[in-house]
Amino acid sequence: SYVLTQPPSVSVAPGQTARITCGGNNIGSKSVHWYQQKPGQAPVLVVYDDSDRPSGIPERFSGSNSGNTATLTISRVEAGDEADYYCQVWDSSSDHPEFGGGTKLTVL
Amino acid sequence: EVQLVESGGGLVKPGGSLRLSCAASGFTFSNAWMSWVRQAPGKGLEWVGRIKSKTDGGTTDYAAPVKGRFTISRDDSKNTLYLQMNSLKTEDTAVYYCTTVSALMVRGVLSYGMDVWGQGTTVTVSS
């Protein structure tokens, strides 16, 4: 199966920029989606197709994808952004979607 | 407003069965592909399976750990998705979420994402 690798944790001060990476073999050739999951809540789609935002998601959330790394960037981080973030792609070899292991974003 | 509401979770003994339901509203359920995703305590997200719309064949697909034990079905007349879970194991203990699925070709690549999620229902398998 296709393996997606995320750092377990990322810390950032309020107002700074957080970058959460998602590594995978030639992931730049895939469409990457990002989900935010706050404690005790269901996941929410925050970025789809590498860099598009669903309606209602702030412009502070953006994404990029190239080579072997996709990145979720959160600008001007707020305390309310503290959450777990998961990347996800379609694995054509298994014909199933795959999730990364998740990254816990801590706002200092 | 698009809404998904799961129900049916609970405590069940190993080897037992349970059926989860997901009531959908705010969109044309019969046209939607739907999936189940689970999350074991303190762990990440794990895809369980998917069902296509009847117009797209209504077929199902499952993750290896649940194949042959879990069955996804739908009742479009009731706007409801189901997950029948048999031969449950302790490792099936998790919060189970139903989701809508968006699957389409984008820039020549298959984009497969889960747009909307329910609040989840908890399944505990323990003796």
Side-chain angles (χ1 to χ4, degrees):
Chain A
S1 63
Y2 188 80
V3 176
L4 292 170
T5 301
Q6 296 183 238
S9 63
V10 167
S11 298
V12 64
Q16 299 304 303
T17 298
R19 294 179 179 84
I20 299 172
T21 59
C22 176
N25 185 34
N26 198 25
I27 195 174
S29 66
K30 298 182 180 296
S31 181
V32 180
H33 311 284
W34 291 92
Y35 304 89
Q36 174 195 65
Q37 185 179 32
K38 295 182 179 179
Q41 298 185 20
V44 172
L45 179 68
V46 292
V47 167
Y48 66 97
D49 294 342
D50 299 341
S51 58
D52 292 331
R53 279 185 315 278
S55 61
I57 300 301
E59 290 183 9
R60 301 184 298 105
F61 289 81
S62 62
S64 62
N65 184 18
S66 178
N68 293 319
T69 305
T71 303
L72 173 69
T73 301
I74 309 171
S75 305
R76 302 180 300 282
V77 167
E78 304 171 356
D81 297 331
E82 195 162 272
D84 293 325
Y85 291 85
Y86 296 89
C87 59
Q88 176 256 311
V89 301
W90 175 261
D91 178 10
S92 54
S93 63
S94 67
D95 255 2
H96 294 161
E98 290 287 348
F99 287 97
T103 297
K104 180 176 181 59
L105 175 67
T106 299
V107 181
L108 300 171
Chain B
E1 179 195 5
V2 175
Q3 194 170 14
L4 301 171
V5 179
E6 301 93 335
S7 60
L11 174 64
V12 61
K13 289 182 168 51
S17 297
L18 206 58
R19 189 178 83 155
L20 307 183
S21 299
C22 171
S25 60
F27 64 102
T28 306
F29 179 76
S30 59
N31 291 345
W33 293 22
M34 301 293 295
S35 76
W36 289 95
V37 175
R38 68 184 181 182
Q39 186 172 35
K43 302 296 185 183
L45 302 173
E46 180 186 22
W47 179 77
V48 171
R50 168 234 77 210
I51 186 166
K52 294 183 178 180
S53 62
K54 284 193 168 55
T55 54
D56 287 327
T59 54
T60 54
D61 195 12
Y62 301 94
V66 307
K67 197 167 188 175
R69 299 188 298 123
F70 289 13
T71 302
I72 298 174
S73 61
R74 63 192 300 157
D75 186 337
D76 291 343
S77 69
K78 296 181 178 179
N79 288 349
T80 302
L81 177 74
Y82 301 101
L83 179 64
Q84 177 67 45
M85 303 184 293
N86 298 330
S87 303
L88 281 161
K89 306 175 181 180
T90 55
E91 52 264 41
D92 295 318
T93 293
V95 176
Y96 285 74
Y97 298 100
C98 73
T99 88
T100 59
V101 171
S102 172
L104 64 161
M105 297 303 291
V106 176
R107 298 184 290 273
V109 174
L110 177 59
S111 166
Y112 187 105
M114 282 145 272
D115 301 24
V116 179
W117 298 60
Q119 88 288 350
T121 187
T122 301
V123 173
T124 303
V125 185
S126 174
S127 54

